[in-house]
């Protein structure tokens, strides 16, 4: 499977606009695992990695959008006490290492990695897993990255 680099894949206020821009720049971004239903509606099922405050804010933002193309379907989080719980109306489906099992059980089009304070090694592991299965991913920037200006809003 061809690996596609999708520039600017960070979650923020204009993430759907950024997706549209990425599609214009590279029409292969995000197309690897779309179902026929998704191609008709343009909606993509997303799994949120991290059920903490950043993940919850991401879900609230997606639900608040009048016509968001991203449909959150659940969380993964390493906090065992959250497993099986409903957070922002979505189930915490398991730990980060459960990603392959969750991908077998549910149709997921992309990941949103919402762990801005996680160590780089954890983020890289999730990115590597996404790449291995041809899954598109986005990362939520840290507050430090936003304040330093290294992230475009």
């Amino acid at each position: 499977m061809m690996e596609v680099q999708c520039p600017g894949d960070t979650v923020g206020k204009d993430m759907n606009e950024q997706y549209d821009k990425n599609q214009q720049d590279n029409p292969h971004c995000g197309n690897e695992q779309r179902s026929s239903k998704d191609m008709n509606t343009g909606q993509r099922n997303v799994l949120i990695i991290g059920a903490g405050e950043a993940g919850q804010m991401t879900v609230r933002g997606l639900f608040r959008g009048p016509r968001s193309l991203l449909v959150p379907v659940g969380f993964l989080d390493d906090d065992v006490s959250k497993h099986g719980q409903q957070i922002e109306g979505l189930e915490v489906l398991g730990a980060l290492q459960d990603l392959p099992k969750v991908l077998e059980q549910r149709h997921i089009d992309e990941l949103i990695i919402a762990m801005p304070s996680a160590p780089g090694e954890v983020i890289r592991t999730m990115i590597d897993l996404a790449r291995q299965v041809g899954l598109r991913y986005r990362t939520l920037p840290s507050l430090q990255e936003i304040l330093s200006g290294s992230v475009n809003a």
Side-chain angles (χ1 to χ4, degrees):
M1 177 172 282
M2 177 179 70
E3 182 175 317
V4 177
Q5 293 292 328
C6 297
D9 277 350
T10 56
V11 176
K13 185 172 128 187
D14 299 317
M15 68 186 159
N16 287 327
E17 290 175 21
Q18 182 64 49
Y19 176 81
D20 293 338
K21 179 185 179 310
N22 288 345
Q23 285 290 61
Q24 290 169 2
D25 294 344
N26 185 345
H28 299 289
C29 286
N31 290 331
E32 291 85 1
Q33 293 190 358
R34 247 188 228 176
S35 69
S36 58
K37 175 183 176 229
D38 296 330
M39 286 197 272
N40 291 334
T41 66
Q43 292 185 326
R44 296 175 311 281
N45 291 337
V46 296
L47 181 64
I48 311 297
I49 307 300
E53 188 60 34
Q56 292 173 41
M57 285 177 32
T58 300
V59 169
R60 284 193 299 269
L62 291 173
F63 282 145
R64 204 173 297 136
R67 46 169 249 223
S68 177
L69 296 178
L70 302 176
V71 179
V73 296
F75 292 99
L76 289 182
D77 196 285
D78 279 342
D79 183 346
V80 178
S81 69
K82 293 179 182 176
H83 295 180
Q85 299 293 317
Q86 294 282 318
I87 298 177
E88 297 294 332
L90 299 175
E91 184 178 357
V92 180
L93 302 168
L96 304 182
Q97 69 264 16
D98 295 328
L99 178 62
K101 179 179 77 174
V102 171
L103 292 175
E104 288 177 12
Q105 297 171 347
R106 298 181 184 242
H107 175 78
I108 305 294
D109 295 301
E110 65 184 84
L111 303 179
I112 296 178
I113 303 169
M115 302 183 306
S117 61
E121 182 178 328
V122 173
I123 303 296
R124 281 188 295 279
T125 298
M126 297 311 301
I127 289 171
D128 288 343
L129 284 171
R131 285 180 175 163
Q132 286 173 15
V133 297
L135 195 61
R136 181 166 190 222
Y137 63 89
R138 301 170 190 244
T139 59
L140 190 73
S142 69
L143 183 58
Q144 181 179 358
E145 290 172 312
I146 293 169
L147 293 176
S148 71
S150 63
V151 174
N152 295 329

